Structure formats: structure tokens, C-alpha cells
Amino acid sequence: MTLYSALDQDDGPTLKEVIDQSCRQIDLGAAILLKPLKEDGEYPITLSREFNSVVVEHHLKWTPLCHQQPGPFPDGSPSNRLGRYDFHHADELVDWALKEGMKVKGHVLCWHVTTPAFVSEFDPIEIAKQLKRHIFTVMGHYRGRIEVWDVVNESLAPDGSLADNAFLQKLGPSYIEDCFRWAHEANPDAFLIYNDNKVEGIGNQKSEGFYNLLADLKAKNVPVHGAGIQAHFNAAGTGRSRPPTPRAIKQQIARLGNLGLKVNISEMDVRVSKLPQALRARAQKQIYHDILVAALTEPAFDGLWLWGFTDKHTWVTHFYYDDEPLIFDELYERKEAYYAIRDALSTMAIGGTVGGDVLLDSDFDEQGNRWGHMWMQPEPENEPTEITQHDSAKPDWEHHELT
């Protein structure tokens, strides 16, 4: 692939300008946080210059809205009272983005990891009532401002079964379709998405479970309109943590599209710190470029969302380790990964050819080299082939052997 020089910050158009000039319009979004938006001057400038969309990274989750952000009671005891919402911080993020003319995606209405712990103490009738009320409360507050929502997030265990979380234990498998029906009732005009991780490419147990879950929801006429494939990749990963190939991702998006769904890459970042230094930029560049190109070849694909955009502000350093997973460095300088994305987006321009020289029909080139062979790490001996975390409700970052 041909990349622009990363030495000149003024060369060529911005990412948003490339999309504006393309034959096909897609969402190009980034997850945003309030503190840097208000305190780091380059943060909002770069966001509004490069992206046409944002997703609220943290402040719309259930616990922040009604447990953490409202703060303790006057006597200092923690809030444990549902219905005590504080939308102030989330409103600041949403209203800033709308003022900048950006689309906003809401994240997330139902995720067991960010549900207040005391909810699990309710009986089934009460937990259903509170979950429905939460969905109506949040969607109602943002009706007319947020029209795209991640409704349910990460309901699957690593083996593709349903995660053994409080909602499954109390409400059974139907809680997922109930959430979508409640969300549709709360706002019939909203675009509703199911979102999950390690489901980006075909060929593993969880991606099969993801497809089967969505196929079942569609067969039941549940109002689910989109699928989010997260794409938190570790370039040094092996086994089940190895980044999927462009072919595998293209085929996953294609079959989800055949269900009548739109598909977005919803939380992309590419960790590289476990690779030798000399391989990091090469790997990150190829993963960002080739995965996006593969997605763009499918009509069902409607957007790329990054989980942050600058290495200065990334969840990776809090939940994993120090890394440089995004497309701007800590000084907001464009990285090789930035130019890789821009090159991929440029294939949608008039006269461009989407797909180019990326391997899409096979994982091997004509010389027999596997995609990514220049940086991909060898498989360790005795790598397990079966997933043992059946029904696990742990989030992705707590499965250390899977990261």
C-alpha cells in the first residue's frame, strides 16, 4: 500500500475531508471523554477537524449516570438509590458534539459490567422493571439528540454462549430481546445496535455465537438494526487473541449484512507494545489499513469508530499496560496508522478501487506468505484450541489469557 509521508502535518486532506469527497458516506467516529475535552486544547480541535461522529466513552453507562456521577449522599454514604440520575457531564459531551455538527452514538444501555452492583440483589420482576425504566429514562432524555444506541453490550462469553451475568440469572435469555423492544418503544426512530468483542472475523466460537444470536433476534422480528464489532486488537496476540485476517472480517460483515443488518467497527484500537520496537509501526499500519479496506468492500459496513484517537488519552493504559494503540501520538502528531486509515478511505474517492492489493479471498499471498507475516508472532507450544470459559461473565480485559 502507498502511504503519505508522516513527516508533513499539512499534507493532504483530513480524514473527514476524505470522506466528504467520497462516493460513499460512512461514520468516522471516536470515543470521547469530558476531562480532556474541557482541559486539553488540542483534544477538541483535533476531534472536530478529523471526525464526523463521536461516541460517549464512559458517561452514559448506568453506573456513572445514577451511582458515581451523582456522588455520595450528604452524610458521605454512597448513592445506592436508582432514579438518582445526573446527566450534567454527559450533556456537556453530547451538546458540544452536536454544536460541532457531529453525529453522536449512545453507549451503552445494558451492560452487566457497568450496571450498579446492587441491581443484582433485586428479584426478577424488580430487575426487569428497573432495566426498562433505565432504558426509557436515558433514551428519553436524549431523544432528538442521540438517535443511534448500543443497546446491549458483551452478552456473550468467550465460547459464544450467553455470559452468566445478573440479567441472565434473573431474567433468562429473553432479556436481550426485551432490551431492544423497550428501546424501540422508547424511541421508535432510533437505530439500535448489538455490540460485542472478539467477534470481528469468522472462524471462532464467539463469532459464531455472535452471528447466531443476531440471526435469532432477526428471526423473532426483534428491532435490532446494527451489529458492532469492537476491534480491540493486540498485534502481538497469538491463538484466539491473534488479530483476524481481512478475509475473515469481510466474510463476517457479509453474512451479518445478509441478515439485513448494518455493521460498524465500533471500538477499534491496536495495541503494539508487546511487539519488538522495529515491528510496531508496520503492524499497526497494516492492521488499521487492511481491516478497514476489507470492511469497506461490504455494502453493509457503515462506519469506523475508534476507542479514542490520541495515545495521550486511552483506556488501554488503565486496563492493560502502557501502549500506543491509536492514530495520533501523545503530542497529537499524526502516526503512520493515521495515514493508513486515510489511504483506505481514499479508495472510496471517484476513480478509486476499494480493495486494492489487500488479501480478501485468502489469508495467503501467491508466495504462500500469510497475511501479517512480517510482524505476526509465532504460536507458542501447547496453545489451547478450546475455550474453557463457558458462560463466563468476565469482561474482555479480565480474560488475561485471551488478551
Side-chain angles (χ1 to χ4, degrees), residues 282-311:
R282 180 198 296 260
Q284 192 173 70
K285 179 173 63 178
Q286 184 174 18
I287 292 170
Y288 271 115
H289 178 273
D290 291 8
I291 296 311
L292 178 55
V293 165
L296 288 170
T297 64
E298 289 300 322
F301 179 70
D302 67 357
L304 170 67
W305 304 73
L306 308 181
W307 213 241
F309 61 96
T310 167
D311 294 335

Side-chain angles (χ1 to χ4, degrees), residues 4 14-28 50-52 288-289 292-293 296 301 303-304 327 338-350 352-354:
Y4 297 102
T14 66
L15 301 179
K16 185 164 67 173
E17 288 171 339
V18 171
I19 292 174
D20 288 344
Q21 297 165 11
S22 296
C23 301
R24 174 183 174 190
Q25 298 299 299
I26 66 168
D27 297 326
L28 180 66
E50 298 287 349
F51 298 91
N52 61 26
Y288 271 115
H289 178 273
L292 178 55
V293 165
L296 288 170
F301 179 70
L304 170 67
I327 65 172
Y338 173 95
Y339 296 92
I341 286 181
R342 194 171 75 176
D343 276 8
L345 294 173
S346 296
T347 64
M348 297 189 296
I350 295 173
T353 302
V354 178

Side-chain angles (χ1 to χ4, degrees), residues 160-349:
S161 63
L162 291 180
D164 188 26
N165 59 48
F167 298 120
L168 183 69
Q169 293 167 7
K170 297 293 180 74
L171 303 177
S174 64
Y175 84 88
I176 298 172
E177 62 185 88
D178 287 341
C179 285
F180 279 96
R181 295 191 193 280
W182 292 332
H184 183 65
E185 186 180 352
N187 184 356
D189 297 323
F191 187 88
L192 308 178
I193 300 169
Y194 176 78
N195 189 56
D196 219 317
N197 63 70
K198 287 187 167 53
V199 296
E200 298 82 9
I202 65 167
N204 66 66
Q205 292 163 272
K206 192 170 185 182
S207 64
E208 291 301 307
F210 181 71
Y211 173 80
N212 292 334
L213 172 62
L214 285 160
D216 181 62
L217 293 175
K218 294 296 290 185
K220 294 177 179 177
N221 293 316
V222 174
V224 54
H225 312 120
I229 54 177
Q230 290 184 10
H232 292 296
F233 294 140
N234 176 12
T238 58
R240 296 181 297 273
S241 293
R242 192 182 292 284
T245 65
R247 173 200 59 80
I249 286 180
K250 175 180 172 62
Q251 291 181 5
Q252 178 75 315
I253 294 173
R255 66 175 180 170
L256 291 167
N258 289 336
L259 294 176
L261 296 166
K262 293 294 185 181
V263 182
N264 71 94
I265 295 175
S266 58
E267 305 184 17
M268 192 170 186
D269 49 35
V270 181
R271 306 194 300 278
V272 294
S273 66
K274 300 302 181 182
L275 286 177
Q277 182 68 46
L279 300 179
R280 293 178 185 177
R282 180 198 296 260
Q284 192 173 70
K285 179 173 63 178
Q286 184 174 18
I287 292 170
Y288 271 115
H289 178 273
D290 291 8
I291 296 311
L292 178 55
V293 165
L296 288 170
T297 64
E298 289 300 322
F301 179 70
D302 67 357
L304 170 67
W305 304 73
L306 308 181
W307 213 241
F309 61 96
T310 167
D311 294 335
K312 186 175 182 180
H313 304 289
T314 169
W315 78 294
V316 169
T317 59
H318 300 289
F319 288 94
Y320 285 109
Y321 34 70
D322 286 341
D323 210 304
E324 299 172 341
L326 294 164
I327 65 172
F328 290 88
D329 67 17
E330 292 188 359
L331 299 176
Y332 293 91
E333 298 290 326
R334 296 169 177 175
K335 296 166 57 178
E336 289 296 330
Y338 173 95
Y339 296 92
I341 286 181
R342 194 171 75 176
D343 276 8
L345 294 173
S346 296
T347 64
M348 297 189 296

